[in-house]
């Protein structure tokens, strides 16, 4: 639903701190049994559409959580901003 809505809306570019946007999406996965970490240049600025980026990030992080290796004792997802 969000992906479909994402493709039908106009682009609303804003300069944002990438790390705060990623952290906001990561927080929605806080209840998952996976350790999420964010490293790198978390304060870098980028001109982007926050809604579209959130949809894409939620999809990528969600897939990483969903398709993690169940045999690992301490699964994690690491996001590195460069």
């Amino acid at each position: 639903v969000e992906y479909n809505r994402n493709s039908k809306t106009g682009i609303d570019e804003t300069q944002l701190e990438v790390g705060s946007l990623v952290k906001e999406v990561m927080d929605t996965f806080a209840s998952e049994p996976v350790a999420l970490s964010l490293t790198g240049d978390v304060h870098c600025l980028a001109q982007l559409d926050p809604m579209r980026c959130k949809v894409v990030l939620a999809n990528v992080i969600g897939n990483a959580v969903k398709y993690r290796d169940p045999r690992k004792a301490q699964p994690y997802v690491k996001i590195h901003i460069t």
Side-chain angles (χ1 to χ4, degrees):
V1 174
E2 285 296 322
Y3 183 79
N4 188 36
R5 187 178 313 145
N6 192 27
S7 66
K8 294 181 180 182
T9 60
I11 296 173
D12 181 26
E13 287 188 11
T14 307
Q15 187 172 36
L16 292 174
E17 198 173 88
V18 176
S20 61
L21 184 72
V22 174
K23 179 75 172 114
E24 187 178 330
V25 174
M26 287 172 62
D27 288 345
T28 64
F29 294 93
S31 64
E32 295 292 335
V34 176
L36 299 171
S37 68
L38 177 61
T39 62
D41 188 7
V42 297
H43 300 292
C44 78
L45 296 175
Q47 191 78 16
L48 47 82
D49 184 327
M51 187 190 80
R52 289 176 184 267
C53 286
K54 286 178 186 178
V55 169
V56 171
L57 285 167
N59 184 274
V60 170
I61 295 169
N63 284 341
V65 169
K66 183 177 181 178
Y67 297 110
R68 70 189 180 275
D69 186 349
R71 297 170 293 186
K72 293 196 176 183
Q74 296 184 356
Y76 67 92
V77 174
K78 179 180 178 180
I79 299 169
H80 183 79
I81 299 173
T82 57

